């Protein structure tokens, strides 16, 4: 039992790790303090607490740049991320269910096609996609971005779901089938609820990728009122140059939603990333 | 039954929901007199000039609404090209004239994306000097928004405060650098990590050491009679970068400085001089409205051999495929009116096309600078009056890569990764690569 | 509950390439129509678009002109002679190897360090993991400030009396790549830690205690008991960080833009620049093909090696 006792060595380890963690968060400390200091003080005393914190800078940053306010960008990011994640879950889980349960050669081939899709460089397809989306009226609006992300992240989604479904015992489904339930009922009542853990993983992984993506919205949404947060911050830096307090206020505003979400849902989040590894 | 219904909902409704908004974006046509919206895309610098002329235009043409978007400079060419390739450019687009910049418009014209403006009334009135930058054959593809002189912005208050003389020759510049550095400020600010800015410095050096003595050097290069690597003139020009670096002219850590930081250093009074086109005035003042800016040509071997590059670099073009093209052309026609052109140019900080003729003839006077609202830039007056004006060489180079290589390699000169000979042969290689 | 944990316990990654011939015909299997939308999206948005784009790798399309002519393998031959492409390849490999090693060593140490008994272990883990969920672009701006010549890092050096070590970190040919590495390790060490923590949780306490009772030294215990059981986590973490490392893009663009003079240029940034900045779409497409081949080969090779060790260990 001695292994897990809290000894003075454990205490030392704890202190050491806490110190290292504090060091890890130094960039965030610099971010917040610099944002509320006058522009000139940012460099002269980078570690000092601001004498007279100027929170007004956040109001100014919230106004955004010539390309729209950060509030509008936040809304766009939310709509695009939530829309894409919901579409991914709906279409991905049902597809994975079929792929996993059908099995056999066709199932394996389709599965492999999805897996390859993870490795293929989507960058190669951007210009053809842009042209096609333009013709369909899907450039510069939410629907197009949702469709784009749903397509681009479908391989990862199906991959995660399929692995999970394959490990699910069929007993419940077979029992339901014996009871005379159709496929739809079985999927919605029996399978989908069992998929909850991996649904969480899919939502978090794809959600983060979409939320943080920079290049696609830069290309597909530039010049519209629907730019997402990373593009808005980028434009902001382009316009306000080296006014670090203003830029850091914008950066802080842009990372706050994710950081907040992280603090609220960290258990689920950590499980999502580590989820597939036990055993 | 349930199965079928669910199959429909999962299989089809999902797609339909996603695709439903497809048809929602119908663009109104220009013809019927119904209100139309034209979309301008430009790179982010000062917004004030655009705000002013758009307001004027919308007042004059109430049935046309103007929407403008600013794309950060570093990605502007890529964003614009992607949109054009996808068949959806803005109706009006900003760009650099000629073909030698990453955001140059002539390559876009060659690819068939731009509308020929040569039948517009103002086209025939433009100075013929502009043709090389704006035309392919007889077709003119852009309107010159302003004509900047490219030289040195300096901070006269800082010179006074440090008790240092403003340099008039290159050797004075080098000694001034030492004096200013000893007093804890930077003499010359350079965004060493930003090729467009190191490029500007090199074009100013080229005006003095290449195009000054040999105004037709670019034509000879185009004809294949000379090369960069074989040119003593170009070696002289680039040697000056190394000289300035050795003399401690540049701010500390120059090789890592980006455009924004450099601009901020100058605007906040931490640096005395900055090589810029006049049109950067608005953006610089926006950072610090109290800053006094004065101008001078880049100090050459003697004051009499100091030249300034001048070119109609900032331009506006019309998308050939625009559904509201006639409204877009009307916007340019409006901008081309002498008063509007001057208003736009002055706010930007440069000359308008209608004032250029005088500039070219060397007949500009002090009162002209005042009349056009550009008296802050009258430091260029003696150089202009002496007709020591040169083209902005790089705009006429065959592709954007030569200039980009030059700008990048200058950072290499500062870090010691590149030599002058290496830089010049890189430029020759880029010249030959297809555009 | 048991069902879900059981299901979680098998890594989906472990099935890469493995055959799953579980063709049990208990009842009618679910209809293919359910998978149709996903497959349709896969075929159009991935395969069709990429095939259309990849075709340009064999052309001289400039991107600006509407015409493209077929030039066979000329683009690929050009890559072999292109000095910048070679630098980018070297940088990519150097950065990826260092990134994968550093992030996994640090991640493993953090996982072992915060494993149990610590009162604040959840707090510590959260603090280390937080950067991994943030936008690379936002993170890069913070670090750009830190590495600025007048910024906090040089400030610390001055305070520590090491003023001579001050430099423009992101503009230094010999340091820029390593400053990018620092940012990457800072952002993703917590992610590797999470992978290893998940692996550690599956090791039964009894095993550890038995080994401790036997009087094994901690290192011997780690090598003989913990590490072999961590093999699956090792596989996942290495694969994941390898893919991440080979494709690093946002951070480099925001921190150095590939400079000074290509010192931090990678294949991913070169693909982007050749395609979008220089408008050499054909050449950029060829580079992208090379990059994806490299990713595929390295990922599968590493997977094979690790899998072999997993079995043997």
């Amino acid at each position: 039992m001695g292994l897990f006792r809290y000894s003075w060595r454990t205490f030392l380890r704890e202190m050491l790790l806490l110190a290292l963690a504090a060091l890890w968060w130094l960039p965030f400390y610099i971010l917040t303090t610099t944002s509320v200091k006058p522009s000139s003080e940012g460099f002269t005393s980078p570690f000092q607490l601001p004498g007279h914190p100027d929170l007004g800078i956040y109001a100014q940053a919230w106004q955004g740049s010539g390309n729209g306010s950060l509030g509008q960008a936040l809304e766009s990011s939310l709509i695009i991320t939530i829309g894409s994640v919901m579409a991914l879950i709906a279409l991905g889980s049902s597809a994975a269910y079929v792929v996993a349960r059908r099995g056999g050669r066709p199932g394996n081939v389709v599965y492999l096609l999805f897996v390859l899709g993870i490795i293929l460089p989507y960058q190669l397809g951007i210009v053809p996609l842009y042209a096609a989306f333009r013709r369909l009226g899907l450039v510069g609006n939410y629907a197009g971005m949702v469709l784009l992300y749903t397509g681009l992240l479908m391989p990862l989604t199906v991959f995660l779901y399929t692995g999970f479904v394959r490990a699910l015992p069929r007993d419940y489904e077979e029992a339901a089938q014996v009871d005379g339930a159709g496929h739809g009922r079985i999927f919605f009542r029996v399978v989908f609820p069992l998929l909850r853990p991996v649904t969480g993983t899919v939502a978090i992984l794809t959600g983060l990728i979409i939320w943080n993506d920079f290049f696609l919205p830069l290309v597909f949404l530039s010049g519209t009122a629907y730019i997402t947060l990373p593009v808005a911050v980028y434009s902001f830096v382009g316009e306000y140059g080296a006014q670090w307090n203003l830029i850091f206020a914008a950066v802080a505003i842009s990372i706050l939603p994710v950081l907040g979400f992280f603090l609220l849902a960290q258990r689920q989040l950590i499980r999502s990333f580590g989820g597939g590894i036990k055993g | 039954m349930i199965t079928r219904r669910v199959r429909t909902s999962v299989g089809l409704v999902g797609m339909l929901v996603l695709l439903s908004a497809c048809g929602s974006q119908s663009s109104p046509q220009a013809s019927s007199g119904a209100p139309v919206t034209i979309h301008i895309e430009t790179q982010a610098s000062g917004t004030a000039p655009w705000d002013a002329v758009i307001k004027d235009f919308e007042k004059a043409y109430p049935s046309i609404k103007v929407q403008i978007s600013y794309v950060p400079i570093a990605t502007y060419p890529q964003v614009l090209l992607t949109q054009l390739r996808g068949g959806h450019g803005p109706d009006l687009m900003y760009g650099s004239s000629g073909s030698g910049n990453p955001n140059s418009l002539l390559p876009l014209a060659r690819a068939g994306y731009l509308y020929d403006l040569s039948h517009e009334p103002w086209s025939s009135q433009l100075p013929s000097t502009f043709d090389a930058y704006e035309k392919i054959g007889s077709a003119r593809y852009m309107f010159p928004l302003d004509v900047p002189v490219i030289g040195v912005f300096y901070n006269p208050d800082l010179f006074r405060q440090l008790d240092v003389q403003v340099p008039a020759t290159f050797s004075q510049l080098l000694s001034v650098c030492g004096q200013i550095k000893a007093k804890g400020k930077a003499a010359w600010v350079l965004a060493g990590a930003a090729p467009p800015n190191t490029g500007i410095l090199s074009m100013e050096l080229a005006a003095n050491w290449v195009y000054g003595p040999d105004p037709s050097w670019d034509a000879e290069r185009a004809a294949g009679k000379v090369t960069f690597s074989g040119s003593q003139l170009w070696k002289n020009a680039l040697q000056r970068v190394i000289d300035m670096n050795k003399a401690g002219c540049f701010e500390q850590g120059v090789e890592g400085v980006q455009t924004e930081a450099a601009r901020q250093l100058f605007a906040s009074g931490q640096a005395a001089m900055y090589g810029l086109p006049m049109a950067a005035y608005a953006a610089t003042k926006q950072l610090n409205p109290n800053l006094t800016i004065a101008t001078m040509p880049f100090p050459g071997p003697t004051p009499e051999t100091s030249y300034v590059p001048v070119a109609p670099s900032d331009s506006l073009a019309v998308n050939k495929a625009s559904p509201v093209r006639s409204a877009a052309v009307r916007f340019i026609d409006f901008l081309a009116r002498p008063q509007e052109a001057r208003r736009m140019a002055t706010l930007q900080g440069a000359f308008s096309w209608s004032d250029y003729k005088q500039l070219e003839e060397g007949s500009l006077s002090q009162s002209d600078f005042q009349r056009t609202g550009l008296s802050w830039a009258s430091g260029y007056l003696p150089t202009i009056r002496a007709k020591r004006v040169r083209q902005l060489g790089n705009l006429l180079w065959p592709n954007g890569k030569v200039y980009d290589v030059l700008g990048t390699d200058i950072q290499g000169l500062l870090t010691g990764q590149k030599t002058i000979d290496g830089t010049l042969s890189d430029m020759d290689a880029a010249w030959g690569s297809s555009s | 509950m048991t069902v879900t944990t059981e299901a979680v316990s098998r890594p989906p990654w472990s099935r890469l390439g493995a055959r799953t011939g579980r063709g049990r015909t208990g009842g009618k299997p679910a209809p293919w129509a359910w998978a149709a939308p996903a497959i349709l999206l896969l075929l159009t948005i991935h395969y069709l678009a990429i095939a259309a784009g990849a075709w340009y790798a064999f052309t001289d399309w400039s991107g600006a002109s509407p015409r493209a002519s077929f030039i066979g393998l000329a683009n690929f031959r050009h890559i072999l002679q292109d000095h910048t492409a070679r630098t980018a390849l070297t940088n990519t490999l150097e950065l990826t190897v260092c990134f994968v090693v550093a992030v996994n060593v640090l991640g493993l140490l953090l996982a072992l360090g915060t494993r149990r008994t610590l009162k604040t272990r959840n707090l510590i883990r959260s603090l280390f993991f937080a950067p991994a969920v943030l936008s690379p672009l936002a993170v890069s701006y913070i670090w750009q400030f830190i590495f600025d010549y007048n910024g906090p890092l040089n400030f610390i050096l001055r305070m520590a009396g090491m003023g001579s070590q001050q430099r423009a970190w992101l503009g230094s040919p010999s340091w820029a790549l390593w400053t990018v590495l620092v940012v990457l390790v800072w952002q993703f060490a917590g992610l590797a830690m999470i992978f290893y923590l998940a692996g550690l949780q599956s090791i039964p306490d009894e095993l550890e205690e038995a080994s401790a009772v036997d009087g094994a030294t901690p290192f011997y215990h780690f090598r003989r008991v913990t590490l072999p059981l961590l093999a699956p986590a090792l596989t996942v973490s290495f694969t994941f960080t390898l893919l991440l490392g080979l494709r690093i893009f946002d951070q480099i663009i925001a921190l150095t833009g590939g400079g000074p003079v290509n010192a931090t240029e990678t294949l991913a940034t070169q693909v982007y620049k050749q395609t979008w900045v220089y408008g050499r779409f054909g050449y950029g497409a060829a580079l992208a093909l090379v990059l994806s081949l490299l990713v595929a080969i390295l990922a599968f090779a590493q997977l094979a090696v690790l899998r072999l060790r997993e079995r043997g260990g």
Side-chain angles (χ1 to χ4, degrees), chain A residues 62 67-85 140-147 149 207 210-213 216-218 220-233 254 257:
Chain A
W62 183 252
N67 294 307
S69 74
L70 288 191
Q72 172 64 46
L74 184 69
E75 189 187 316
S76 301
S77 279
L78 278 174
I79 292 174
I80 291 171
T81 306
I82 292 174
S84 311
V85 168
N141 54 44
Y142 293 141
M145 290 313 286
V146 169
L147 184 65
Y149 282 126
I210 296 166
W211 183 273
N212 288 334
D213 186 37
L216 290 176
L218 178 73
F220 279 74
L221 296 175
S222 272
T224 71
Y226 309 123
I227 54 170
T228 57
L229 267 179
V231 183
V233 170
S254 81

Side-chain angles (χ1 to χ4, degrees), chain C residues 158-227:
Chain C
R158 272 201 309 280
M159 292 296 113
M162 293 158 69
S164 61
Q165 292 300 309
Q166 292 184 96
R167 66 190 89 235
W169 296 93
L170 295 168
S172 156
S174 42
W175 284 92
L177 196 64
W178 308 120
T179 48
V180 171
L181 181 70
V182 167
V183 178
L184 295 176
V185 171
W186 176 79
Q187 196 174 5
F188 294 113
L191 183 62
M193 171 191 73
I194 295 299
F195 288 138
Y196 289 114
L197 276 173
L200 284 172
Q201 270 163 19
S202 67
I203 300 176
D205 288 350
E206 302 81 53
L207 214 58
E208 311 257 324
E209 278 164 30
S211 164
V213 170
D214 287 349
T217 66
F219 181 72
Y220 182 86
H221 169 77
F222 174 74
R223 246 193 74 79
R224 290 290 146 151
V225 181
T226 317
L227 202 57

Side-chain angles (χ1 to χ4, degrees), chain B residues 206-227:
Chain B
N208 284 345
W209 278 275
V210 182
Y211 303 117
D214 187 356
S216 55
W217 194 89
D218 272 358
E220 291 162 33
R221 180 62 186 83
K225 287 184 198 149
V226 291
T227 59

